């Protein structure tokens, strides 16, 4: 079975990106042949997307790829592209209730969007709940031996309240601290974390992208 995934988002890190990669691997593990696309002007160009080949194609090409089609992320800037794919039979993943764009709600009865959080299903009409798939990609000795009690892999940003974790870390012994490993948003680091937690550079993990 062939499945086409569309990542209609400019962000190359964060929850939408990691969900897309986890889903790609989960579908391949289930035996599907999976293709990952974005819609852009550089048709035919590939880039590495966390180990997954992400191909750029035009909108006209997108409507000719293998079915079924699933949009794993959709931003307002590419809403028209998403609408075209939805009208062509694609399904849409809704990550939270803030993504219920009025322009596409009329299509929900036809395409039945997928929600990855059960709490959002009542808020998204005609939706189907499919839990977020995960592929374990890290099992270092720090975790298996209990050296690290916990890690935070969410984006380091205002809306993730990473400063709350860091403030709590200051109240417990080092062996009990949560290691912050997510990709940082530079403005948040510069204007909030750097001033509030000056020790961070020497006592915390670096933030890899």
């Amino acid at each position: 079975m062939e499945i086409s995934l569309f990542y209609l988002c400019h962000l190359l890190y964060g929850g939408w990106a990691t969900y897309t990669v986890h889903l790609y691997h989960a579908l391949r593990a289930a035996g599907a042949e999976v293709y990952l696309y974005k819609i852009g002007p550089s048709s035919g160009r590939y880039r590495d997307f966390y180990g997954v080949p992400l191909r750029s194609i035009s909108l006209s090409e997108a409507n000719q790829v293998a079915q079924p089609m699933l949009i794993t992320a959709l931003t307002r800037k590419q809403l028209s592209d998403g609408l075209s794919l939805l009208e062509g039979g694609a399904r849409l993943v809704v990550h939270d209730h803030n993504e219920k764009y009025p322009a596409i709600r009329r299509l929900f009865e036809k395409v039945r969007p997928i929600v990855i959080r059960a709490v959002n299903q009542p808020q998204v009409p005609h939706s189907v709940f499919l839990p977020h798939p995960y592929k374990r990609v890290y099992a270092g000795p720090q975790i298996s031996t209990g050296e690290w009690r916990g890690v935070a892999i969410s984006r380091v940003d205002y809306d993730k309240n990473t400063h709350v974790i860091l403030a709590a870390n200051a109240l417990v012994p080092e062996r009990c601290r949560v290691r912050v490993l997510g990709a940082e948003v530079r403005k948040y680091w510069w204007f909030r974390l750097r001033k509030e937690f000056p020790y961070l550079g020497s006592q915390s993990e670096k933030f890899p992208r």
Side-chain angles (χ1 to χ4, degrees), residues 8-62:
L8 304 184
C9 175
H10 63 284
L11 296 173
L12 299 179
Y13 59 87
W16 287 354
T18 53
Y19 167 80
T20 300
V21 174
H22 281 293
L23 179 63
Y24 176 92
H25 288 297
L27 292 172
R28 283 179 59 87
E33 190 71 30
V34 188
Y35 304 95
L36 179 59
Y37 301 103
K38 70 172 184 175
I39 296 177
S42 303
S43 182
R45 180 177 297 178
Y46 285 87
R47 70 168 297 152
D48 179 81
F49 194 64
Y50 299 98
V52 173
L54 174 62
R55 183 186 177 194
S56 178
I57 60 176
S58 66
L59 182 59
S60 60
E61 291 176 299

Side-chain angles (χ1 to χ4, degrees), residues 102-122:
I104 60 176
R105 283 179 65 89
R106 62 182 178 82
L107 295 175
F108 280 0
E109 184 173 1
K110 174 185 176 182
V111 301
R112 301 203 67 191
I114 295 170
V115 294
I116 61 175
R117 296 186 179 96
V119 69
N120 285 331
Q121 190 171 13

Side-chain angles (χ1 to χ4, degrees), residues 2-208:
E2 294 184 339
I3 299 176
S4 299
L5 304 181
F6 283 88
Y7 187 72
L8 304 184
C9 175
H10 63 284
L11 296 173
L12 299 179
Y13 59 87
W16 287 354
T18 53
Y19 167 80
T20 300
V21 174
H22 281 293
L23 179 63
Y24 176 92
H25 288 297
L27 292 172
R28 283 179 59 87
E33 190 71 30
V34 188
Y35 304 95
L36 179 59
Y37 301 103
K38 70 172 184 175
I39 296 177
S42 303
S43 182
R45 180 177 297 178
Y46 285 87
R47 70 168 297 152
D48 179 81
F49 194 64
Y50 299 98
V52 173
L54 174 62
R55 183 186 177 194
S56 178
I57 60 176
S58 66
L59 182 59
S60 60
E61 291 176 299
N63 285 301
Q64 300 174 17
V65 301
Q67 295 271 8
M69 298 187 297
L70 180 64
I71 302 171
T72 62
L74 176 61
T75 60
R76 294 185 184 279
K77 288 184 178 180
Q78 291 196 259
L79 197 56
S80 61
D81 294 332
L83 185 60
S84 177
L85 292 177
L86 289 169
E87 290 176 336
R91 302 283 292 274
L92 172 68
V93 176
V94 177
H95 296 257
D96 63 57
H97 63 279
N98 294 320
E99 298 167 36
K100 299 181 297 182
Y101 302 125
I104 60 176
R105 283 179 65 89
R106 62 182 178 82
L107 295 175
F108 280 0
E109 184 173 1
K110 174 185 176 182
V111 301
R112 301 203 67 191
I114 295 170
V115 294
I116 61 175
R117 296 186 179 96
V119 69
N120 285 331
Q121 190 171 13
Q123 304 174 43
V124 182
H126 311 289
S127 61
V128 178
F129 170 56
L130 292 177
H132 191 315
Y134 288 97
K135 176 189 176 184
R136 190 181 182 96
V137 295
Y138 180 80
Q142 296 93 339
I143 293 177
S144 61
T145 62
E147 180 183 347
W148 288 2
R149 301 296 180 87
V151 296
I153 60 174
S154 62
R155 184 179 68 254
V156 179
D157 201 354
Y158 291 97
D159 63 335
K160 303 301 182 182
N161 293 309
T162 311
H163 58 279
V164 175
I165 297 176
L166 295 171
N169 277 347
L171 303 176
V172 299
E174 185 174 356
R175 62 184 177 83
C176 297
R177 292 175 181 171
V178 174
R179 306 292 174 171
V180 178
L181 303 178
E184 88 282 7
V185 172
R186 298 291 183 178
K187 288 184 179 179
Y188 179 57
W189 156 253
W190 186 258
F191 293 108
R192 183 66 184 269
L193 301 187
R194 183 180 63 91
K195 296 179 180 179
E196 206 168 333
F197 305 100
Y199 62 84
L200 193 62
S202 60
Q203 297 189 24
S204 290
E205 299 301 312
K206 292 182 178 180
F207 303 138

